[in-house]
Amino acid sequence: MSQSSTNEARYQRLSVMIVEDSQPMREVLRAMLQSVGVKNIIDARDGQHAIRKLSEYQVDLIITDWVMEEMDGIELTRWIRNDPVSPDEFLPIIMVSGHTESNRIEMARDAGVTEFIAKPLTGVGLIQRLVAVVEYPRPFVRTDDYFGPDRRRKVESFTGEERRAAELRDRDARSA
Amino acid sequence: MAQPPKGTYEVIHQPNKLKDLVGGPARMDERLIAKAEAALADAVSKIDLAETAKDSIVKLDEAVERLQAEGAEPAGPERTIYTVMHDLRSQGASFGYPMVEKIATSMNRYLELGEPGQRGHNDADAIKAHVDALKAVVATKMKGEAGAIGQQIVAGLYKISRTKSK
């Protein structure tokens, strides 16, 4: 078995919940996850819906949008980290958002998000975060006013793939 | 002498459940990235924003109507508009409608100048101008940058969103 197919097979046992109020964006995320081998994918349309589904399904990883009308991704993250009835306060949470300003990203970190992906999505961005949550999990920290992944960890660098991202951007620019 | 940390501080090292599930190292590799990029391109090609945005436009129209109603309480509709526009901004960027992205960005920049409702529904005209422009772009399937006319529309809305503040 080649390294690539081994890598692909690795994700098939993961159960991933997508929390996103936009159906087309859910479809895109689902297609990307399936392409890299994820088989168990649970959809939720907002934070409240996700909480209900978390009581029904075993989930290993959440990928959530930020802005949603009923209950947003920040509120959902705080609930998972701090609510007494949360099924897993250590659940890895990848936030996907169009909010890319540094103060917004800090807000997400302060809520207890594990990793952050800026929209629009890219294959590199998604896989980089999947690798990060599997290979480089953060220790958790509990203080008087915070519980969640250690916010001090530096982002791991993937030199080769950054180059790939630049190539893809160049390709997109050429085809635009 | 070092000061002791204020309050409590506990570091918890959890067993790596994800690593156990994947059963070995997860690595970045070009083939996997290419598969994800291909899946992304394929999924995007099947999505017609002009169709998928229909429900969003209904929500925007209803919210504008509520804003314009006599004695309206603006917080609720403005929050709806912000949420819907945020979603459309991402969809515009992802699905080949940069005009939608720009109009939605302008709208939310305007709304972010105050908490929802703070600015009051005197600004309903500015909000409606954004919603109408977005509807026109979607109705005419105006993909890409839409040339000089598109730039003029966006520039006009940016001017409103930057200057018409209280």
Side-chain angles (χ1 to χ4, degrees), chain A residues 3-4 7-8 10 13 22 60 67 69 88 98-99 104 119 123 127 134-135 137 140-144 152 161 164 168, chain B residues 7-12 16-17 19 21-23 25-32 35 37 80 82 86-87 89-91 112:
Chain A
Q3 179 58 55
S4 288
N7 228 348
E8 217 166 333
R10 296 228 182 276
R13 289 177 63 201
S22 159
D60 305 310
V67 178
E69 203 157 3
D88 182 0
H99 279 321
R104 297 281 193 168
K119 285 180 184 172
I127 293 174
V134 172
E135 288 296 317
F140 271 63
V141 168
R142 190 186 302 280
T143 68
D144 291 343
R152 296 172 302 174
E161 285 67 29
R164 167 73 174 167
L168 290 168
Chain B
T8 59
Y9 187 90
E10 180 190 3
V11 178
I12 304 159
N16 189 344
K17 284 198 290 189
K19 183 89 168 178
L21 276 171
V22 302
R27 296 195 179 96
M28 298 291 287
D29 72 64
E30 295 290 327
R31 182 174 161 273
L32 216 53
K35 285 193 76 172
E37 294 289 354
T80 297
Y82 182 87
H86 183 84
D87 176 34
R89 182 177 125 183
S90 295
Q91 288 197 44
E112 281 171 358

Tab-separated table of all heavy atoms in Angstrom, chain A residues 3-4 7-8 10 13 22 60 67 69 88 98-99 104 119 123 127 134-135 137 140-144 152 161 164 168, chain B residues 7-12 16-17 19 21-23 25-32 35 37 80 82 86-87 89-91 112:
chain	number	residue	atom	x	y	z
A	3	GLN	N	2.130	5.185	0.434
A	3	GLN	CA	1.966	6.123	1.541
A	3	GLN	C	0.674	6.935	1.389
A	3	GLN	O	-0.040	7.162	2.349
A	3	GLN	CB	3.170	7.061	1.591
A	3	GLN	CG	3.095	8.093	2.704
A	3	GLN	CD	2.964	7.457	4.061
A	3	GLN	OE1	3.771	6.626	4.447
A	3	GLN	NE2	1.904	7.822	4.796
A	4	SER	N	0.363	7.312	0.125
A	4	SER	CA	-0.827	8.131	-0.083
A	4	SER	C	-2.095	7.383	0.294
A	4	SER	O	-2.956	7.903	0.984
A	4	SER	CB	-0.909	8.561	-1.549
A	4	SER	OG	0.066	9.525	-1.812
A	7	ASN	N	-2.404	7.051	3.936
A	7	ASN	CA	-2.840	8.320	4.513
A	7	ASN	C	-4.343	8.508	4.352
A	7	ASN	O	-5.037	8.951	5.252
A	7	ASN	CB	-2.097	9.456	3.809
A	7	ASN	CG	-1.521	10.437	4.806
A	7	ASN	OD1	-1.859	10.397	5.982
A	7	ASN	ND2	-0.672	11.313	4.340
A	8	GLU	N	-4.833	8.168	3.170
A	8	GLU	CA	-6.247	8.305	2.863
A	8	GLU	C	-7.103	7.422	3.770
A	8	GLU	O	-8.129	7.841	4.271
A	8	GLU	CB	-6.450	7.866	1.414
A	8	GLU	CG	-7.458	8.645	0.675
A	8	GLU	CD	-7.291	8.330	-0.787
A	8	GLU	OE1	-6.180	7.980	-1.211
A	8	GLU	OE2	-8.288	8.414	-1.491
A	10	ARG	N	-6.466	6.460	6.618
A	10	ARG	CA	-6.367	6.826	8.031
A	10	ARG	C	-7.617	7.549	8.516
A	10	ARG	O	-8.009	7.428	9.657
A	10	ARG	CB	-5.157	7.723	8.258
A	10	ARG	CG	-3.829	7.063	7.985
A	10	ARG	CD	-2.856	7.313	9.101
A	10	ARG	NE	-1.554	6.723	8.828
A	10	ARG	CZ	-1.251	5.458	9.080
A	10	ARG	NH1	-2.160	4.657	9.601
A	10	ARG	NH2	-0.049	4.993	8.807
A	13	ARG	N	-11.941	6.128	9.789
A	13	ARG	CA	-12.574	5.762	11.066
A	13	ARG	C	-13.026	6.985	11.857
A	13	ARG	O	-13.611	6.849	12.919
A	13	ARG	CB	-11.614	4.926	11.899
A	13	ARG	CG	-11.422	3.517	11.333
A	13	ARG	CD	-10.403	2.745	12.140
A	13	ARG	NE	-10.809	2.534	13.513
A	13	ARG	CZ	-9.971	2.251	14.509
A	13	ARG	NH1	-8.684	2.154	14.272
A	13	ARG	NH2	-10.407	2.069	15.737
A	22	SER	N	-25.267	27.117	5.977
A	22	SER	CA	-25.415	27.198	4.530
A	22	SER	C	-25.315	25.798	3.922
A	22	SER	O	-24.287	25.132	4.042
A	22	SER	CB	-24.304	28.100	3.967
A	22	SER	OG	-24.110	27.832	2.614
A	60	ASP	N	-15.958	12.541	16.742
A	60	ASP	CA	-14.529	12.646	17.087
A	60	ASP	C	-13.971	14.036	16.805
A	60	ASP	O	-12.923	14.407	17.341
A	60	ASP	CB	-13.718	11.628	16.268
A	60	ASP	CG	-14.258	10.220	16.448
A	60	ASP	OD1	-14.448	9.816	17.604
A	60	ASP	OD2	-14.501	9.538	15.432
A	67	VAL	N	-20.618	32.250	12.132
A	67	VAL	CA	-21.864	33.019	12.185
A	67	VAL	C	-23.041	32.148	11.766
A	67	VAL	O	-23.112	31.697	10.629
A	67	VAL	CB	-21.770	34.260	11.266
A	67	VAL	CG1	-23.085	35.035	11.271
A	67	VAL	CG2	-20.629	35.166	11.716
A	69	GLU	N	-27.492	31.767	12.818
A	69	GLU	CA	-28.507	32.588	13.466
A	69	GLU	C	-28.950	32.047	14.827
A	69	GLU	O	-29.031	32.786	15.790
A	69	GLU	CB	-29.716	32.750	12.545
A	69	GLU	CG	-30.518	33.972	12.888
A	69	GLU	CD	-31.359	34.478	11.726
A	69	GLU	OE1	-31.374	33.847	10.662
A	69	GLU	OE2	-32.009	35.498	11.898
A	88	ASP	N	-18.200	15.776	25.555
A	88	ASP	CA	-16.731	15.651	25.526
A	88	ASP	C	-16.117	17.053	25.522
A	88	ASP	O	-16.027	17.698	24.469
A	88	ASP	CB	-16.288	14.869	24.277
A	88	ASP	CG	-14.779	14.674	24.218
A	88	ASP	OD1	-14.075	15.140	25.130
A	88	ASP	OD2	-14.321	14.047	23.245
A	98	GLY	N	-15.410	33.217	7.529
A	98	GLY	CA	-15.001	34.359	6.709
A	98	GLY	C	-14.438	35.477	7.570
A	98	GLY	O	-13.863	36.429	7.069
A	99	HIS	N	-14.625	35.363	8.901
A	99	HIS	CA	-14.023	36.334	9.827
A	99	HIS	C	-12.538	36.027	9.952
A	99	HIS	O	-12.150	35.067	10.621
A	99	HIS	CB	-14.638	36.196	11.222
A	99	HIS	CG	-15.956	36.874	11.389
A	99	HIS	ND1	-16.253	38.089	10.834
A	99	HIS	CD2	-17.053	36.502	12.081
A	99	HIS	CE1	-17.480	38.441	11.168
A	99	HIS	NE2	-17.988	37.498	11.914
A	104	ARG	N	-10.713	38.682	15.648
A	104	ARG	CA	-11.740	37.636	15.563
A	104	ARG	C	-11.123	36.262	15.824
A	104	ARG	O	-11.719	35.418	16.484
A	104	ARG	CB	-12.381	37.637	14.174
A	104	ARG	CG	-13.114	38.904	13.830
A	104	ARG	CD	-14.469	38.919	14.474
A	104	ARG	NE	-15.287	39.976	13.919
A	104	ARG	CZ	-16.593	40.081	14.129
A	104	ARG	NH1	-17.216	39.214	14.891
A	104	ARG	NH2	-17.278	41.060	13.603
A	119	LYS	N	-12.334	31.089	5.232
A	119	LYS	CA	-13.025	30.908	3.956
A	119	LYS	C	-12.488	31.925	2.973
A	119	LYS	O	-12.117	33.020	3.392
A	119	LYS	CB	-14.531	31.118	4.146
A	119	LYS	CG	-15.243	29.974	4.842
A	119	LYS	CD	-16.719	30.328	4.967
A	119	LYS	CE	-17.482	29.263	5.736
A	119	LYS	NZ	-18.856	29.661	6.040
A	123	GLY	N	-8.152	22.923	-0.278
A	123	GLY	CA	-7.784	21.561	0.121
A	123	GLY	C	-6.609	21.574	1.088
A	123	GLY	O	-6.594	20.835	2.079
A	127	ILE	N	-6.735	19.968	4.957
A	127	ILE	CA	-5.875	18.834	5.325
A	127	ILE	C	-4.835	19.260	6.366
A	127	ILE	O	-4.533	18.512	7.299
A	127	ILE	CB	-5.221	18.233	4.067
A	127	ILE	CG1	-6.317	17.601	3.208
A	127	ILE	CG2	-4.186	17.178	4.438
A	127	ILE	CD1	-5.857	17.090	1.890
A	134	VAL	N	-4.699	15.791	14.550
A	134	VAL	CA	-4.292	14.396	14.806
A	134	VAL	C	-2.856	14.339	15.340
A	134	VAL	O	-2.578	13.664	16.332
A	134	VAL	CB	-4.406	13.554	13.516
A	134	VAL	CG1	-3.812	12.163	13.724
A	134	VAL	CG2	-5.859	13.433	13.071
A	135	GLU	N	-1.963	15.081	14.702
A	135	GLU	CA	-0.531	14.929	15.000
A	135	GLU	C	-0.021	15.869	16.085
A	135	GLU	O	0.955	15.565	16.752
A	135	GLU	CB	0.285	15.165	13.717
A	135	GLU	CG	0.164	14.054	12.708
A	135	GLU	CD	0.732	12.741	13.212
A	135	GLU	OE1	1.816	12.742	13.828
A	135	GLU	OE2	0.073	11.702	13.010
A	137	PRO	N	-1.842	17.613	18.809
A	137	PRO	CA	-2.917	18.072	19.706
A	137	PRO	C	-2.348	18.974	20.800
A	137	PRO	O	-1.255	18.735	21.304
A	137	PRO	CB	-3.465	16.775	20.291
A	137	PRO	CG	-2.351	15.804	20.195
A	137	PRO	CD	-1.567	16.177	18.962
A	140	PHE	N	-4.595	20.723	27.177
A	140	PHE	CA	-5.667	21.613	27.617
A	140	PHE	C	-5.222	22.386	28.854
A	140	PHE	O	-4.403	21.904	29.638
A	140	PHE	CB	-6.947	20.817	27.894
A	140	PHE	CG	-7.818	20.682	26.678
A	140	PHE	CD1	-7.350	20.000	25.557
A	140	PHE	CD2	-9.068	21.258	26.621
A	140	PHE	CE1	-8.132	19.884	24.410
A	140	PHE	CE2	-9.862	21.152	25.489
A	140	PHE	CZ	-9.391	20.468	24.387
A	141	VAL	N	-5.781	23.553	28.996
A	141	VAL	CA	-5.433	24.418	30.121
A	141	VAL	C	-6.719	24.816	30.838
A	141	VAL	O	-7.720	25.134	30.187
A	141	VAL	CB	-4.712	25.689	29.603
A	141	VAL	CG1	-4.598	26.732	30.698
A	141	VAL	CG2	-3.343	25.338	29.049
A	142	ARG	N	-6.680	24.732	32.171
A	142	ARG	CA	-7.827	25.223	32.946
A	142	ARG	C	-7.327	26.341	33.867
A	142	ARG	O	-6.415	26.129	34.668
A	142	ARG	CB	-8.432	24.093	33.783
A	142	ARG	CG	-9.770	24.467	34.427
A	142	ARG	CD	-10.280	23.369	35.364
A	142	ARG	NE	-10.461	22.081	34.709
A	142	ARG	CZ	-11.518	21.752	33.964
A	142	ARG	NH1	-12.491	22.614	33.795
A	142	ARG	NH2	-11.606	20.555	33.417
A	143	THR	N	-7.889	27.527	33.688
A	143	THR	CA	-7.579	28.641	34.589
A	143	THR	C	-8.891	29.116	35.197
A	143	THR	O	-9.938	28.517	34.964
A	143	THR	CB	-6.915	29.812	33.829
A	143	THR	OG1	-7.874	30.401	32.953
A	143	THR	CG2	-5.709	29.348	33.013
A	144	ASP	N	-8.810	30.217	35.937
A	144	ASP	CA	-10.036	30.731	36.561
A	144	ASP	C	-11.073	31.145	35.519
A	144	ASP	O	-12.271	31.081	35.764
A	144	ASP	CB	-9.722	31.934	37.459
A	144	ASP	CG	-8.943	31.495	38.689
A	144	ASP	OD1	-8.941	30.283	38.983
A	144	ASP	OD2	-8.320	32.355	39.329
A	152	ARG	N	-1.049	29.019	23.647
A	152	ARG	CA	0.303	29.536	23.420
A	152	ARG	C	1.043	28.804	22.315
A	152	ARG	O	2.092	29.239	21.880
A	152	ARG	CB	1.146	29.422	24.704
A	152	ARG	CG	0.622	30.277	25.823
A	152	ARG	CD	1.363	29.981	27.089
A	152	ARG	NE	1.248	28.568	27.428
A	152	ARG	CZ	1.898	27.993	28.431
A	152	ARG	NH1	2.730	28.684	29.167
A	152	ARG	NH2	1.739	26.705	28.686
A	161	GLU	N	3.949	22.274	1.749
A	161	GLU	CA	2.551	22.487	1.417
A	161	GLU	C	2.238	23.968	1.272
A	161	GLU	O	1.353	24.356	0.529
A	161	GLU	CB	1.667	21.848	2.495
A	161	GLU	CG	1.601	20.338	2.402
A	161	GLU	CD	2.924	19.675	2.702
A	161	GLU	OE1	3.726	20.233	3.479
A	161	GLU	OE2	3.170	18.583	2.151
A	164	ARG	N	2.887	24.629	-2.071
A	164	ARG	CA	1.781	24.111	-2.874
A	164	ARG	C	0.615	25.115	-2.871
A	164	ARG	O	0.005	25.372	-3.903
A	164	ARG	CB	1.335	22.761	-2.281
A	164	ARG	CG	0.014	22.243	-2.812
A	164	ARG	CD	0.119	21.730	-4.217
A	164	ARG	NE	-1.131	21.111	-4.622
A	164	ARG	CZ	-1.425	20.787	-5.850
A	164	ARG	NH1	-0.548	20.969	-6.796
A	164	ARG	NH2	-2.579	20.251	-6.147
A	168	LEU	N	-1.152	26.890	-6.041
A	168	LEU	CA	-2.583	26.848	-6.343
A	168	LEU	C	-3.149	28.261	-6.485
A	168	LEU	O	-3.990	28.514	-7.345
A	168	LEU	CB	-3.325	26.083	-5.229
A	168	LEU	CG	-3.047	24.588	-5.216
A	168	LEU	CD1	-3.555	23.962	-3.934
A	168	LEU	CD2	-3.700	23.908	-6.416
B	7	GLY	N	-4.167	33.168	40.480
B	7	GLY	CA	-5.254	32.223	40.262
B	7	GLY	C	-4.723	30.814	40.012
B	7	GLY	O	-3.533	30.532	40.165
B	8	THR	N	-5.639	29.957	39.601
B	8	THR	CA	-5.245	28.565	39.360
B	8	THR	C	-4.853	28.389	37.905
B	8	THR	O	-5.332	29.105	37.022
B	8	THR	CB	-6.416	27.616	39.687
B	8	THR	OG1	-7.526	27.982	38.862
B	8	THR	CG2	-6.804	27.707	41.145
B	9	TYR	N	-3.974	27.426	37.653
B	9	TYR	CA	-3.520	27.148	36.288
B	9	TYR	C	-3.178	25.662	36.217
B	9	TYR	O	-2.226	25.213	36.839
B	9	TYR	CB	-2.283	27.992	35.965
B	9	TYR	CG	-1.842	27.904	34.527
B	9	TYR	CD1	-2.333	28.787	33.571
B	9	TYR	CD2	-0.935	26.928	34.112
B	9	TYR	CE1	-1.943	28.710	32.246
B	9	TYR	CE2	-0.539	26.833	32.783
B	9	TYR	CZ	-1.033	27.733	31.859
B	9	TYR	OH	-0.642	27.655	30.552
B	10	GLU	N	-3.991	24.939	35.473
B	10	GLU	CA	-3.785	23.490	35.384
B	10	GLU	C	-3.599	23.095	33.921
B	10	GLU	O	-4.388	23.524	33.066
B	10	GLU	CB	-5.024	22.785	35.961
B	10	GLU	CG	-4.942	21.276	35.943
B	10	GLU	CD	-6.283	20.621	36.307
B	10	GLU	OE1	-7.277	21.344	36.509
B	10	GLU	OE2	-6.318	19.386	36.374
B	11	VAL	N	-2.550	22.321	33.643
B	11	VAL	CA	-2.339	21.832	32.285
B	11	VAL	C	-2.733	20.356	32.250
B	11	VAL	O	-2.292	19.569	33.097
B	11	VAL	CB	-0.871	21.998	31.846
B	11	VAL	CG1	-0.669	21.439	30.441
B	11	VAL	CG2	-0.469	23.467	31.890
B	12	ILE	N	-3.572	20.007	31.281
B	12	ILE	CA	-4.098	18.639	31.198
B	12	ILE	C	-3.626	18.003	29.894
B	12	ILE	O	-3.921	18.524	28.813
B	12	ILE	CB	-5.650	18.648	31.240
B	12	ILE	CG1	-6.124	19.379	32.496
B	12	ILE	CG2	-6.202	17.222	31.191
B	12	ILE	CD1	-7.555	19.886	32.400
B	16	ASN	N	-4.317	10.919	23.174
B	16	ASN	CA	-4.638	11.363	21.815
B	16	ASN	C	-5.588	10.364	21.138
B	16	ASN	O	-5.169	9.430	20.466
B	16	ASN	CB	-3.352	11.522	20.997
B	16	ASN	CG	-3.610	12.192	19.660
B	16	ASN	OD1	-4.736	12.272	19.204
B	16	ASN	ND2	-2.541	12.675	19.045
B	17	LYS	N	-6.895	10.614	21.325
B	17	LYS	CA	-7.901	9.685	20.791
B	17	LYS	C	-7.903	9.658	19.262
B	17	LYS	O	-8.103	8.615	18.649
B	17	LYS	CB	-9.300	10.075	21.300
B	17	LYS	CG	-9.552	9.684	22.738
B	17	LYS	CD	-11.025	9.678	23.078
B	17	LYS	CE	-11.625	11.040	23.133
B	17	LYS	NZ	-12.991	11.092	23.665
B	19	LYS	N	-5.415	10.154	17.248
B	19	LYS	CA	-4.244	9.405	16.766
B	19	LYS	C	-4.529	7.896	16.862
B	19	LYS	O	-4.169	7.134	15.956
B	19	LYS	CB	-3.044	9.788	17.629
B	19	LYS	CG	-1.743	9.161	17.205
B	19	LYS	CD	-1.050	10.020	16.206
B	19	LYS	CE	0.366	9.530	16.006
B	19	LYS	NZ	1.049	10.316	14.993
B	21	LEU	N	-7.441	6.523	16.641
B	21	LEU	CA	-8.424	6.185	15.608
B	21	LEU	C	-7.787	6.082	14.223
B	21	LEU	O	-8.126	5.192	13.450
B	21	LEU	CB	-9.526	7.251	15.569
B	21	LEU	CG	-10.661	7.105	16.569
B	21	LEU	CD1	-11.534	8.353	16.532
B	21	LEU	CD2	-11.508	5.882	16.258
B	22	VAL	N	-6.887	6.994	13.901
B	22	VAL	CA	-6.299	6.948	12.560
B	22	VAL	C	-5.212	5.869	12.475
B	22	VAL	O	-4.817	5.469	11.376
B	22	VAL	CB	-5.734	8.315	12.089
B	22	VAL	CG1	-6.811	9.373	12.098
B	22	VAL	CG2	-4.562	8.750	12.917
B	23	GLY	N	-4.754	5.414	13.621
B	23	GLY	CA	-3.886	4.245	13.656
B	23	GLY	C	-2.476	4.470	13.140
B	23	GLY	O	-1.804	3.519	12.756
B	25	PRO	N	0.619	7.768	11.704
B	25	PRO	CA	0.831	9.184	11.406
B	25	PRO	C	-0.078	9.690	10.281
B	25	PRO	O	-0.281	9.017	9.281
B	25	PRO	CB	2.301	9.248	10.983
B	25	PRO	CG	2.641	7.861	10.554
B	25	PRO	CD	1.785	6.940	11.354
B	26	ALA	N	-0.665	10.864	10.492
B	26	ALA	CA	-1.406	11.548	9.430
B	26	ALA	C	-0.453	12.580	8.857
B	26	ALA	O	0.146	13.347	9.591
B	26	ALA	CB	-2.638	12.218	10.011
B	27	ARG	N	-0.275	12.552	7.556
B	27	ARG	CA	0.711	13.449	6.946
B	27	ARG	C	0.076	14.282	5.845
B	27	ARG	O	-0.906	13.882	5.240
B	27	ARG	CB	1.866	12.644	6.333
B	27	ARG	CG	2.684	11.872	7.346
B	27	ARG	CD	3.995	11.431	6.719
B	27	ARG	NE	4.816	10.701	7.679
B	27	ARG	CZ	4.860	9.382	7.780
B	27	ARG	NH1	4.107	8.650	6.978
B	27	ARG	NH2	5.611	8.798	8.681
B	28	MET	N	0.703	15.414	5.590
B	28	MET	CA	0.351	16.186	4.411
B	28	MET	C	0.932	15.441	3.220
B	28	MET	O	2.093	15.036	3.262
B	28	MET	CB	0.995	17.571	4.469
B	28	MET	CG	0.564	18.427	5.632
B	28	MET	SD	-1.143	18.959	5.501
B	28	MET	CE	-1.028	20.197	4.208
B	29	ASP	N	0.151	15.191	2.195
B	29	ASP	CA	0.768	14.677	0.975
B	29	ASP	C	0.049	15.252	-0.236
B	29	ASP	O	-1.147	15.554	-0.193
B	29	ASP	CB	0.858	13.143	0.953
B	29	ASP	CG	-0.468	12.470	0.746
B	29	ASP	OD1	-1.069	12.657	-0.325
B	29	ASP	OD2	-0.912	11.747	1.654
B	30	GLU	N	0.823	15.413	-1.282
B	30	GLU	CA	0.343	16.142	-2.461
B	30	GLU	C	-0.889	15.485	-3.077
B	30	GLU	O	-1.796	16.162	-3.543
B	30	GLU	CB	1.466	16.238	-3.501
B	30	GLU	CG	2.654	17.064	-3.057
B	30	GLU	CD	2.338	18.553	-2.966
B	30	GLU	OE1	1.524	19.027	-3.771
B	30	GLU	OE2	2.880	19.224	-2.078
B	31	ARG	N	-0.913	14.147	-3.066
B	31	ARG	CA	-2.025	13.456	-3.720
B	31	ARG	C	-3.332	13.705	-2.964
B	31	ARG	O	-4.377	13.942	-3.572
B	31	ARG	CB	-1.723	11.959	-3.781
B	31	ARG	CG	-2.787	11.158	-4.494
B	31	ARG	CD	-2.369	9.705	-4.650
B	31	ARG	NE	-3.527	8.891	-4.920
B	31	ARG	CZ	-4.305	8.368	-3.994
B	31	ARG	NH1	-4.047	8.586	-2.720
B	31	ARG	NH2	-5.345	7.638	-4.327
B	32	LEU	N	-3.235	13.660	-1.653
B	32	LEU	CA	-4.424	13.905	-0.842
B	32	LEU	C	-4.922	15.341	-1.017
B	32	LEU	O	-6.119	15.591	-1.122
B	32	LEU	CB	-4.079	13.643	0.638
B	32	LEU	CG	-5.154	13.021	1.515
B	32	LEU	CD1	-5.699	11.744	0.914
B	32	LEU	CD2	-4.620	12.752	2.915
B	35	LYS	N	-6.664	15.591	-4.277
B	35	LYS	CA	-8.011	14.998	-4.230
B	35	LYS	C	-8.999	15.965	-3.569
B	35	LYS	O	-10.131	16.120	-4.027
B	35	LYS	CB	-7.983	13.676	-3.445
B	35	LYS	CG	-7.360	12.530	-4.218
B	35	LYS	CD	-7.642	11.205	-3.553
B	35	LYS	CE	-9.070	10.774	-3.825
B	35	LYS	NZ	-9.341	9.404	-3.372
B	37	GLU	N	-8.704	19.209	-3.414
B	37	GLU	CA	-8.905	20.353	-4.322
B	37	GLU	C	-9.863	19.977	-5.455
B	37	GLU	O	-10.715	20.780	-5.847
B	37	GLU	CB	-7.559	20.817	-4.919
B	37	GLU	CG	-6.579	21.393	-3.919
B	37	GLU	CD	-6.983	22.767	-3.376
B	37	GLU	OE1	-7.965	23.329	-3.865
B	37	GLU	OE2	-6.309	23.238	-2.442
B	80	THR	N	-30.508	39.558	11.528
B	80	THR	CA	-30.782	38.609	10.432
B	80	THR	C	-30.003	39.013	9.180
B	80	THR	O	-29.369	38.176	8.527
B	80	THR	CB	-32.300	38.580	10.118
B	80	THR	OG1	-32.978	38.109	11.269
B	80	THR	CG2	-32.604	37.682	8.930
B	82	TYR	N	-27.302	40.772	8.970
B	82	TYR	CA	-25.868	40.551	9.186
B	82	TYR	C	-25.513	39.072	8.965
B	82	TYR	O	-24.554	38.740	8.262
B	82	TYR	CB	-25.477	40.982	10.609
B	82	TYR	CG	-24.000	40.830	10.888
B	82	TYR	CD1	-23.116	41.853	10.564
B	82	TYR	CD2	-23.483	39.661	11.441
B	82	TYR	CE1	-21.760	41.717	10.794
B	82	TYR	CE2	-22.132	39.511	11.672
B	82	TYR	CZ	-21.271	40.552	11.348
B	82	TYR	OH	-19.923	40.406	11.565
B	86	HIS	N	-23.316	37.669	5.898
B	86	HIS	CA	-22.047	37.001	6.210
B	86	HIS	C	-21.946	35.676	5.452
B	86	HIS	O	-20.905	35.341	4.877
B	86	HIS	CB	-21.949	36.758	7.719
B	86	HIS	CG	-20.660	36.135	8.134
B	86	HIS	ND1	-19.517	36.872	8.363
B	86	HIS	CD2	-20.304	34.845	8.329
B	86	HIS	CE1	-18.528	36.062	8.688
B	86	HIS	NE2	-18.977	34.825	8.675
B	87	ASP	N	-23.052	34.965	5.434
B	87	ASP	CA	-23.105	33.695	4.716
B	87	ASP	C	-22.925	33.927	3.209
B	87	ASP	O	-22.140	33.230	2.541
B	87	ASP	CB	-24.448	33.022	5.019
B	87	ASP	CG	-24.634	31.741	4.251
B	87	ASP	OD1	-23.634	31.041	4.034
B	87	ASP	OD2	-25.777	31.434	3.868
B	89	ARG	N	-21.462	36.393	1.774
B	89	ARG	CA	-20.089	36.845	1.507
B	89	ARG	C	-19.184	35.634	1.247
B	89	ARG	O	-18.412	35.609	0.288
B	89	ARG	CB	-19.594	37.627	2.727
B	89	ARG	CG	-18.218	38.190	2.580
B	89	ARG	CD	-17.861	39.003	3.806
B	89	ARG	NE	-16.630	38.522	4.393
B	89	ARG	CZ	-16.096	38.991	5.505
B	89	ARG	NH1	-16.697	39.947	6.177
B	89	ARG	NH2	-14.980	38.529	5.969
B	90	SER	N	-19.320	34.620	2.104
B	90	SER	CA	-18.515	33.408	1.926
B	90	SER	C	-18.902	32.677	0.653
B	90	SER	O	-18.048	32.182	-0.080
B	90	SER	CB	-18.712	32.456	3.116
B	90	SER	OG	-18.218	33.044	4.273
B	91	GLN	N	-20.221	32.614	0.404
B	91	GLN	CA	-20.670	31.923	-0.814
B	91	GLN	C	-20.189	32.645	-2.067
B	91	GLN	O	-19.785	32.023	-3.039
B	91	GLN	CB	-22.194	31.816	-0.822
B	91	GLN	CG	-22.743	30.815	0.177
B	91	GLN	CD	-24.177	30.450	-0.145
B	91	GLN	OE1	-24.526	30.210	-1.290
B	91	GLN	NE2	-25.014	30.399	0.873
B	112	GLU	N	-21.513	46.678	11.351
B	112	GLU	CA	-20.559	46.498	12.458
B	112	GLU	C	-20.173	47.817	13.123
B	112	GLU	O	-19.526	47.812	14.172
B	112	GLU	CB	-19.288	45.792	11.952
B	112	GLU	CG	-19.477	44.293	11.791
B	112	GLU	CD	-18.308	43.637	11.082
B	112	GLU	OE1	-17.366	44.350	10.679
B	112	GLU	OE2	-18.339	42.396	10.922
